[in-house]
Amino acid sequence: MESRAAVAVNFILFQAGWFACVLGAARGFPWQGALAGLLIAGFTVLRSKHPRGELALAAAAALGGLAFDSALALSGWVDFEGAVPVSSLAPVWMVVLWALFATTLNVSLRWLREWPALGVLFGAVGGPVAYYAGERLGALSFTDSMLGLTAVAVGWALATPLLLALARRLEAR
């Protein structure tokens, strides 16, 4: 069990990485924001109890996020700022956000691992809230907000419990 301080630090680091990625993209510095987020994710992985498992979890989340956000971009429902290196795929800063999210699953969001149904709800609400906040800050835009946010809700409702289960499985090894 993580101490309250470790949980708080994990949450604060995630938020710092989120803002670095989102504001970096919104202000025309997507690579710098992604690098800051990647450094935070790397620090969190290295400081974890099981760095190899944590790295595998972050990599799996990043790959899943790349696929999901690329599908959103290719559908035309979401337009990401700083879409580099390929404009029709998810930008690097979004992929880093997925890895950052994964670094919370064994610390500040660990409690969700015991409640898979709550993980579905957490993803279905938290995903759209984060994307909407990113839109308000200028990092992305929806061509059709209702359709785009619904797709995000469904995707995150599926991804969150799957990543929580993977976190549990990797930790058990």
Side-chain angles (χ1 to χ4, degrees):
M1 182 129 216
E2 298 288 336
S3 70
R4 286 185 182 183
V7 169
V9 167
N10 179 257
F11 177 77
I12 291 166
L13 287 174
F14 170 76
Q15 292 301 316
W18 189 90
F19 278 107
C21 288
V22 171
L23 291 176
R27 304 297 182 258
F29 301 103
W31 287 103
Q32 292 87 336
L35 178 59
L38 192 58
L39 289 172
I40 291 169
F43 173 79
T44 305
V45 165
L46 289 173
R47 301 273 303 157
S48 72
K49 292 178 183 175
H50 309 285
R52 292 172 104 183
E54 195 76 13
L55 180 60
L57 178 61
L63 288 173
L66 173 63
F68 177 70
D69 286 329
S70 293
L72 289 177
L74 288 168
S75 73
W77 295 337
V78 179
D79 182 32
F80 295 103
E81 292 298 321
V84 288
V86 179
S87 63
S88 61
L89 297 179
V92 173
W93 63 270
M94 279 300 296
V95 176
V96 170
L97 284 176
W98 282 84
L100 273 168
F101 176 71
T103 67
T104 67
L105 299 177
N106 288 317
V107 186
S108 57
L109 292 181
R110 183 182 188 87
W111 60 274
L112 267 178
R113 290 175 26 176
E114 305 304 318
W115 304 91
L118 193 55
V120 171
L121 181 62
F122 185 89
V125 173
V129 167
Y131 283 64
Y132 180 75
E135 180 183 40
R136 300 297 297 165
L137 290 170
L140 61 96
S141 59
F142 291 100
T143 54
D144 179 333
S145 292
M146 185 59 70
L147 189 58
L149 287 169
T150 300
V152 169
V154 170
W156 275 89
L158 296 170
T160 303
L162 289 173
L163 289 170
L164 288 163
L166 181 60
R168 178 181 289 182
R169 176 170 284 142
L170 289 170
E171 188 177 66
R173 290 195 307 163

